[in-house]
Amino acid sequence: MHQSDSIVIIPTYNEIENIEKIIRAIYSLDKSFHILIIDDGSPDGTADVVKRLMAEEFADRLFIVERSGKQGLGTAYIAGFRWALERDYQYVFEMDADFSHDPADLPRLYAACAEEGYDVAIGSRYVSGVNVVNWPIGRVLMSYFASKYVRLVTGFKVQDTTAGFKCYRRRVLETIELDKIRFKGYAFQIEMKFTAYKIGFKIKEVPVVFVNRREGVSKMSGGIFGEAFFGVIRLRWDGWMRHYPKIEP
């Protein structure tokens, strides 16, 4: 049995151009990771590629949960978190399939939690300037000022509030009330970070370079940004009114 204390959760929808490459890139690292794919019924055969790799090479460290239809990024990660918590993983990662997140940065996020003692490590595009490659300038500005907007409204000090490349210690996901996480799209990433912050977990931003996908089609939409814009106001209200869980000693 191939052992690991870490699981990388990768949601997919029509990622057949990238999925085998990203899996092999993660398994080429010196640090051992397991991978969980959450596939939302990709019609292009993404899940079939994963199952072939499971059967032929990676049966003890590659796993898949197949869901019917596109149910949203947030619900995919929540399903992955619950799957990981049913097993003995101590570090749980979020990562995209399209190489916008560099697999080589996974050990750096791991080190921030496992060696430096942080509870959440964020692969941050903005903690050391603007580290984004091949994005249209309008997309860069929208993302950058979205994070500034979140900080202004909520008082949350993280620079890259919308980042989707993260490592959580197990106790973070055990403490956050996952059934109360309401957002499904872009705002999900903000809500998870903000909730961890309000509970009192230690968060570190690890500088990374974000590279726009080279293959496949982006899943971003105006509706996702709309959810984030109005969701931040709701999070601010929650910050005043909601009773958050306490960290177990």
Side-chain angles (χ1 to χ4, degrees):
M1 179 69 179
H2 192 282
Q3 299 294 328
S4 177
D5 62 354
S6 303
I7 185 84
V8 181
I9 301 172
I10 304 178
T12 55
Y13 183 78
N14 286 350
E15 291 289 355
I16 197 166
E17 298 97 339
N18 295 304
I19 193 60
E20 181 168 354
K21 296 173 188 174
I22 197 76
I23 289 169
R24 293 192 182 280
I26 293 170
Y27 289 151
S28 72
L29 300 170
D30 290 337
K31 159 68 182 160
S32 171
F33 294 93
H34 286 183
I35 300 173
L36 172 64
I37 305 299
I38 310 289
D39 187 71
D40 274 5
S42 298
D44 69 348
T46 298
D48 294 333
V49 173
V50 176
K51 288 185 283 189
R52 172 177 58 78
L53 293 172
M54 290 170 62
E56 294 178 356
E57 298 181 61
F58 306 122
D60 58 349
R61 52 180 167 157
L62 176 61
F63 310 96
I64 188 169
V65 171
E66 295 183 82
R67 310 195 306 169
S68 58
K70 296 178 71 174
Q71 299 180 44
L73 181 73
T75 66
Y77 275 126
I78 295 295
F81 296 158
R82 295 190 190 282
W83 189 97
L85 291 175
E86 290 171 359
R87 292 150 180 90
D88 195 32
Y89 297 105
Q90 299 304 306
Y91 304 94
V92 180
F93 294 75
E94 295 184 13
M95 186 177 187
D96 290 346
D98 60 7
F99 285 92
S100 55
H101 303 146
D102 186 348
D105 289 324
L106 286 168
R108 297 173 60 228
L109 297 182
Y110 175 82
C113 291
E115 298 170 16
E116 299 175 39
Y118 289 91
D119 298 301
V120 183
I122 300 169
S124 177
R125 298 162 290 187
Y126 307 130
V127 72
S128 60
V130 179
N131 295 316
V132 177
V133 177
N134 292 336
W135 250 11
I137 187 63
R139 181 88 175 269
V140 173
L141 291 173
M142 183 178 293
S143 173
Y144 180 75
F145 285 108
S147 282
K148 280 191 171 292
Y149 165 72
V150 174
R151 296 199 304 276
L152 177 66
V153 173
T154 65
F156 187 28
K157 301 305 181 186
V158 166
Q159 296 295 313
D160 194 350
T161 56
T162 61
F165 192 19
K166 299 200 288 296
C167 174
Y168 298 96
R169 279 183 177 270
R170 179 184 184 90
R171 70 175 188 149
V172 176
L173 300 178
E174 288 176 330
T175 305
I176 289 176
E177 298 167 301
L178 295 176
D179 58 344
K180 293 186 178 180
I181 298 296
R182 67 173 64 86
F183 297 117
K184 295 182 178 181
Y186 212 50
F188 167 81
Q189 303 292 6
I190 305 168
E191 185 176 11
M192 285 293 295
K193 296 183 194 73
F194 183 74
T195 304
Y197 159 75
K198 291 296 290 184
I199 291 171
F201 286 115
K202 293 170 57 182
I203 300 172
K204 178 176 183 177
E205 290 189 84
V206 177
V208 300
V209 176
F210 181 96
V211 180
N212 194 29
R213 68 162 62 234
R214 293 185 295 271
E215 297 184 87
V217 178
S218 172
K219 314 305 186 297
M220 296 300 294
S221 69
I224 289 173
F225 281 106
E227 180 197 55
F229 181 85
F230 293 107
V232 168
I233 299 171
R234 180 64 183 269
L235 288 178
R236 179 61 173 174
W237 178 257
D238 284 354
W240 288 328
M241 306 300 294
R242 179 178 164 187
H243 295 290
Y244 289 90
K246 296 187 182 300
I247 300 174
E248 293 294 331

